[in-house]
Amino acid sequence: MRSTTRRFTMAVILMSALAQNAPAVTATGGTVTNIGGYVIHTFTSVGVTSLNVTVGGKIEVLVVAGGGGGGDALAGGGGAGGLIYSNNFVVSVGSTNITVGAGGAGAAPVATAGGSNGGNSVFGPLTAFGGGGAGGWSTVSPQTGGSGGGGIAGGAGAAGTIGQGNAGGDGGPTGVNYPGGGGGGAGGVGSNGTSTVGGTGGIGINLPQFAGIAGDTNFPAEAWFAGGGGGGAYLAGGAPGNGGNG
């Protein structure tokens, strides 16, 4: 697994330009890109907007919520925003409401703070829940979310939402380095902290059909979404964990 860390807060709608035995779905809204016979409408600005459908039908839709914020001091990693994907979603003529959730705030630089949850992202009836904020110091527990936040040293990670993400990892043992657990990702749970290293964030999900709008130039055939944040560690030779792909 690569150690590359990327963050996305986005709702993406991928629509086929050629539908069998039916007119192609057409709509306006978002940033429109034409790639390989598909028309892709991308929404990345935090807030409320809409997709205005003029010809309805089946589409491919990806909704990703905002990721959770990291904790402060002996902290876990933030959980990835919830991810919902469908390749058989039906839209009707009219306006479909969209909300793009913001990433959660990282903890304030005080010894008893955890991260905040990310904001929900919405596409019509689909709601992806924001990632869980990480636990912090020795008293602030991680939060549940699309994927759960990583636990503090000696504490458990938080749960994710079934169908959208996974749990955060548990914190490592208390002692010299106090490593936190990695935040959960859409494709896997966050790793537990060890005696010396914070847990790695849970892996995201690779959806290569979106590589043309969200890919990494070093890996042009891949497009990873919703990886968890790496857990933190204290001094004396400890090391923070890597974030998950996505």
Side-chain angles (χ1 to χ4, degrees):
M1 186 171 65
R2 305 197 314 273
S3 61
T4 303
T5 302
R6 294 191 306 272
R7 296 178 181 175
F8 293 90
T9 303
M10 61 193 310
V12 179
I13 296 82
L14 174 67
M15 295 188 289
S16 174
L18 300 172
Q20 289 186 332
N21 303 317
V25 174
T26 59
T28 59
T31 300
V32 182
T33 310
N34 292 271
I35 300 176
Y38 290 91
V39 180
I40 305 171
H41 292 248
T42 307
F43 300 84
T44 56
S45 297
V46 172
V48 178
T49 184
S50 63
L51 178 75
N52 300 303
V53 180
T54 52
V55 177
K58 294 180 180 179
I59 66 170
E60 200 170 347
V61 59
L62 170 66
V63 184
V64 183
D72 182 69
L74 321 186
L83 183 149
I84 299 173
Y85 169 74
S86 173
N87 62 0
N88 196 30
F89 188 85
V90 177
V91 289
S92 301
V93 173
S95 179
T96 299
N97 291 330
I98 291 172
T99 300
V100 178
V110 295
T112 57
S116 300
N117 279 26
N120 297 344
S121 288
V122 178
F123 179 78
L126 305 177
T127 298
F129 297 109
W137 193 241
S138 59
T139 57
V140 181
S141 297
Q143 302 298 306
T144 60
S147 283
I152 58 177
T161 300
I162 294 174
Q164 296 191 18
N166 291 280
D170 298 341
T174 57
V176 176
N177 296 311
Y178 295 90
V189 299
S191 296
N192 297 337
T194 69
S195 60
T196 57
V197 179
T200 298
I203 192 170
I205 290 179
N206 182 23
L207 295 170
Q209 65 268 46
F210 294 99
I213 58 167
D216 186 323
T217 55
N218 295 315
F219 302 90
E222 301 178 18
W224 291 86
F225 297 88
Y234 198 47
L235 304 177
N242 295 321
N245 284 358

